[in-house]
Amino acid sequence: MQMSEAVDLAESVDSVEAFVARFPDPVLLNVDSLDSVQQGATFATPAVGSSTEPFRRESSKDPSEETCLDVGPSHLLGLLNSRESAVAEATPPRGSLKAADVYVLKKTSRNPFLQMITVGRTGNNDVIIDDKTVSKLHAYFVKQGEVWSIHDQCSTNGTYVERQRVPATGLVVRDTDRVSFGTRHVFRFHTPAGFYRLVRAVEAPSA
């Protein structure tokens, strides 16, 4: 799906509720490409204006030692609480939004895991990123209630949320969070309501 298609849909409805009724799934918006991400580094760089404390996740544990395919819905409350003090407004995505690809986070018949929306290089994932820096089964999203979390699946090059490396136990993702897979693919996570506001802003007339 192209951003231009989403813009057309957003222009055809007159409220966020109407948009969400027709477009109920969150998205990953491809907004940038990085040359490299330092694998295994500890980052403590929250969005501008945020408290730094919730973003400090220094750990001596080797990510390769983590257990994968642990959906762990019991972890979600703790993950959510760990980010409660992050209140900054995220920096708007860079680049041409109209030309950007939009990946809808929606369960497909390609993926056999019922509660997981998978991201990876091979064709049996819900979100397919055909790049050698992305693992075959790289990461997955899980929803519990209205809370979304992302879990790394012991990928070679890592998964990052706002420059924090994601463990197998997961991190909660919020509207406008920057999510990276591998060493080159960077996205913004948007809820349906947040996505509607974004595409409406794209078409807002200049002052």
Side-chain angles (χ1 to χ4, degrees):
M1 179 181 185
Q2 295 295 321
M3 173 61 82
S4 58
E5 296 177 70
V7 169
D8 290 342
L9 175 58
E11 288 186 316
S12 71
V13 297
D14 58 5
S15 70
V16 64
E17 292 80 11
F19 180 81
V20 171
R22 295 177 59 182
F23 198 101
D25 303 300
V27 300
L28 294 174
L29 171 63
N30 190 346
V31 296
D32 205 353
S33 179
L34 296 180
D35 291 333
S36 64
V37 174
Q38 185 178 357
Q39 184 175 354
T42 297
F43 294 91
T45 53
V48 175
S50 294
S51 168
T52 61
E53 191 59 31
F55 295 84
R56 298 188 182 275
R57 298 181 181 272
E58 300 183 16
S59 173
S60 59
K61 185 175 181 180
D62 186 339
S64 66
E65 298 176 355
E66 294 172 349
T67 301
C68 297
L69 278 180
D70 178 12
V71 176
S74 61
H75 291 293
L76 289 178
L77 181 59
L79 295 175
L80 182 61
N81 290 340
S82 71
R83 299 193 63 194
E84 282 181 347
S85 61
V87 295
E89 181 176 350
T91 303
R94 293 177 288 166
S96 174
L97 294 178
K98 288 186 179 181
D101 288 329
V102 177
Y103 294 82
V104 181
L105 293 179
K106 186 175 183 178
K107 183 75 176 65
T108 70
S109 60
R110 298 189 297 268
N111 162 22
F113 302 108
L114 295 179
Q115 295 182 337
M116 299 159 52
I117 297 176
T118 61
V119 179
R121 189 176 73 241
T122 57
N124 59 342
N125 287 285
D126 299 306
V127 176
I128 302 169
I129 305 175
D130 186 12
D131 187 283
K132 64 182 180 181
T133 69
V134 175
S135 296
K136 291 180 179 179
L137 175 54
H138 194 101
Y140 59 90
F141 289 85
V142 176
K143 183 182 182 184
Q144 185 176 18
E146 296 303 314
V147 179
W148 284 88
S149 63
I150 185 172
H151 304 250
D152 187 76
Q153 186 49 40
C154 295
S155 63
T156 300
N157 293 310
T159 305
Y160 297 82
V161 174
E162 293 295 334
R163 299 188 178 183
Q164 304 168 72
R165 187 157 187 169
V166 177
T169 51
L171 289 176
V172 166
V173 285
R174 301 180 187 276
D175 191 50
T176 75
D177 272 353
R178 182 184 177 97
V179 180
S180 305
F181 303 99
T183 60
R184 289 198 287 262
H185 297 277
V186 185
F187 301 84
R188 292 282 181 181
F189 174 88
H190 285 280
T191 63
F195 189 50
Y196 172 80
R197 290 189 290 268
L198 176 66
V199 296
R200 294 287 289 194
V202 168
E203 291 299 289
S206 302

